[in-house]
Amino acid sequence: VMKKYYIGSVLSGGGSVPAPKASPATWINMVDDLQKGAMSTRLQIPMMYGIDAVHGHNNAYGATMFPHNIGLGATRDPDLARRIGAATALEVRATGIQYTFAPCVAVCRDPRWGRCYESYSEDPKIVKAMTQIIFGLQGQPPANSTKGVPFIAGQSNVAACAKHFVGDGGTTNGIDENNTVIDYKGLVNIHMTPYFDAIAKGVSTIMVSYSSWNGMKMHANRFLVSEVLKKQLGFKGFVISDWQGIDRITSPPGANYSLSVFDGVGAGIDMVMVPENFTNFITELTSQVKGGLISMTRINDAVRRILTVKFTMGLFEYPMADPSLANHFGSKEHRELAREAVRKSLVLLKNGKSAGKPLLPLDKNAPKILVAGTHPNNLGYQCGGWTIEWQGLSGNSSIGTTILQAIKFAVSPSTEVIYQQNPDANYVKGQGFSYAIVVVGEAPYAEMNGDNLNLTIPLGGGDTIKNVCSSLKCLVILISG
């Protein structure tokens, strides 16, 4: 396929892996094999391989998982984001991959949106500050570098992707991929703000949003993609579509594929993500160029931008993976960084009523404590969506420490820790517990599967809180999506 069709880029979608629990070496073999195909073509232009490493290298088993963006935004620590970006880049490179579809710089204005956890904040100033992660992923450009030009420091860094341009966090009722109704000034002041900084930091690529702005699909919006992003903001990297993004210009998706290709490429999309029928796209685009519908000037703009990123990242000099980076994958240093991020991302809602002694810190020497709820003994629930698989998983989906294990590790050896997922109220009363830790929340989800107009605690979490906390001193930990 690489040889025959001159494929310039390949991706892994969420959960698309070379083998279950694949090692870095297995990933490298797959990526290098595809690269050999690309390098055997007439012009020997290397392909770039992309993946959604959105909270660490989250598709890869055994990689370090970091908190999702909403947690990092809560830290108010842009330098922490930068360090996480650098760690993520090393782990992605350790598997032979050179490109991540991150960071998501959406400004989530409605918590009912299924992707709200991929947003750093509802406040554009905080989202803007957290674009510091780009310096971690790509490296820091020299002080005299030209604004808007892509920058990737070397083989320990990856190309980054600011997404989803623009307004994805402002859709009506928080419905994913829906319509963002706002005037141009509001769009610029709220949703476009992080892109000014991402472009200034040398971000290599920008992904277009599935959503619409005032009824017009972003994948067909020539004004915002070509006039504003490329010309006014001076972005010199390449613009990439989302997964089958051009198909969704029409409703239903793919209803008029010729129109989708014409509108999408005409809007200024340079690289088109076609995970399935890529030959249809190649045939259709070639036909429209030969027929004069799409100009060679537009094609040359796309090619120039893609080659600029490939040259900048050193792909022509170093097309193959560097196996010596494997020791960075899931390393002790990166796990410590993840722990720091978790500590800083925790949000304390209320420290009880200080009638004498505050509840926190909890007594490590208590004789007997109760741990309850759906989430303390479920690593997959802790990690959320975009972990090993697109929607996330339940159970021991990767390598890590559950909250229950951490509690057992933190208390004194003489403390008895009892775990009951959903104890009834009578059981709780007569057991002599000093206090309880209840851990509840949402099951993992991603994208539209997380849209929820009903902001309540699911999976019977409310009942567990009631049963336990009606008769015991309680700390409740809420894990939200």
Side-chain angles (χ1 to χ4, degrees), residues 69-108:
N69 287 356
I70 199 74
L72 297 185
T75 71
R76 303 293 196 271
D77 188 344
D79 188 63
L80 175 66
R82 180 191 61 77
R83 289 184 285 138
I84 287 170
T88 301
L90 280 169
E91 298 207 16
V92 169
R93 280 286 193 171
T95 56
I97 295 170
Q98 322 95 345
Y99 177 26
T100 174
F101 306 117
C104 177
V105 293
V107 182
C108 176

Side-chain angles (χ1 to χ4, degrees), residues 137-435:
L137 291 165
Q138 298 195 154
Q140 192 141 358
N144 60 351
S145 62
T146 312
K147 183 188 161 191
V149 174
F151 177 82
I152 297 127
Q155 302 316 293
S156 299
N157 296 95
V158 294
C161 178
K163 67 184 190 184
H164 309 86
F165 188 81
V166 62
D168 49 345
T171 57
T172 305
N173 295 333
I175 295 167
D176 192 35
E177 304 183 14
N178 212 268
N179 191 26
T180 298
V181 181
I182 194 169
D183 63 17
Y184 182 66
K185 187 181 174 190
L187 189 76
V188 170
N189 291 344
I190 295 170
H191 299 286
M192 218 180 279
T193 297
Y195 288 93
F196 304 147
D197 283 67
I199 291 165
K201 288 179 168 78
V203 75
S204 298
T205 74
I206 289 175
M207 185 183 289
V208 182
S209 177
Y210 285 131
S211 58
S212 304
W213 175 49
N214 295 335
M216 185 178 197
K217 292 276 189 181
M218 276 304 311
H219 275 74
N221 197 316
R222 191 175 182 283
F223 168 67
L224 289 176
V225 175
S226 287
E227 296 301 318
V228 175
L229 180 60
K230 289 183 172 180
K231 287 186 185 161
Q232 290 178 29
L233 302 184
F235 174 60
K236 299 288 190 290
F238 70 78
V239 176
I240 185 169
S241 83
D242 207 331
W243 176 280
Q244 291 180 326
I246 64 163
D247 303 51
R248 301 193 200 184
I249 288 171
T250 60
S251 184
N256 186 339
Y257 195 61
S258 298
L259 180 68
S260 290
V261 172
F262 179 78
D263 281 353
V265 176
I269 294 168
D270 304 307
M271 184 180 279
V272 181
M273 198 184 284
V274 192
E276 287 160 12
N277 297 325
F278 63 91
T279 51
N280 288 5
F281 172 76
I282 292 169
T283 304
E284 185 57 47
L285 179 63
T286 308
S287 156
Q288 292 196 25
V289 173
K290 284 181 174 166
L293 293 170
I294 293 173
S295 71
M296 276 309 295
T297 309
R298 172 74 274 271
I299 299 299
N300 288 339
D301 172 53
V303 172
R304 188 180 297 110
R305 288 167 178 275
I306 293 165
L307 286 176
T308 296
V309 172
K310 288 185 178 184
F311 277 116
T312 305
M313 67 200 298
L315 260 187
F316 284 83
E317 292 81 3
Y318 305 102
M320 305 314 244
D322 179 358
S324 72
L325 295 172
N327 61 333
H328 293 291
F329 185 82
S331 70
K332 187 173 183 293
E333 294 82 0
H334 293 171
R335 306 236 173 226
E336 285 307 320
L337 178 61
R339 287 190 178 93
E340 178 190 342
V342 171
R343 282 197 298 275
K344 289 180 173 177
S345 72
L346 297 172
V347 178
L348 183 66
L349 296 182
K350 184 182 179 187
N351 194 8
K353 290 176 183 167
S354 301
K357 193 182 172 196
L359 179 67
L360 298 182
L362 296 171
D363 180 9
K364 289 184 178 184
N365 298 307
K368 189 178 182 185
I369 63 173
L370 173 65
V371 179
T374 42
H375 283 56
N377 198 32
N378 194 316
L379 200 60
Y381 277 16
Q382 265 171 243
C383 292
W386 291 108
T387 308
I388 305 300
E389 291 188 4
W390 174 41
Q391 293 294 324
L393 292 163
S394 175
N396 293 325
S397 53
S398 192
I399 296 167
T401 311
T402 66
I403 293 171
L404 181 62
Q405 287 168 332
I407 291 167
K408 287 178 176 175
F409 181 77
V411 296
S412 78
S414 61
T415 301
E416 189 184 356
V417 178
I418 305 291
Y419 171 54
Q420 288 267 345
Q421 185 167 312
N422 187 20
D424 64 44
N426 292 331
Y427 169 82
V428 172
K429 280 176 190 152
Q431 299 292 323
F433 294 116
S434 304
Y435 57 81

Side-chain angles (χ1 to χ4, degrees), residues 23-86:
S23 66
T26 305
W27 279 97
I28 282 174
N29 288 342
M30 176 186 71
V31 177
D32 276 358
D33 201 39
L34 290 160
Q35 192 66 283
K36 283 170 194 163
M39 298 303 287
S40 68
T41 54
R42 184 172 62 89
L43 295 177
Q44 295 177 26
I45 296 172
M47 64 102 197
M48 59 194 292
Y49 198 102
I51 199 163
D52 287 280
V54 297
H55 67 127
H57 192 8
N58 45 259
N59 279 286
Y61 181 83
T64 312
M65 305 294 171
F66 294 97
H68 273 291
N69 287 356
I70 199 74
L72 297 185
T75 71
R76 303 293 196 271
D77 188 344
D79 188 63
L80 175 66
R82 180 191 61 77
R83 289 184 285 138
I84 287 170

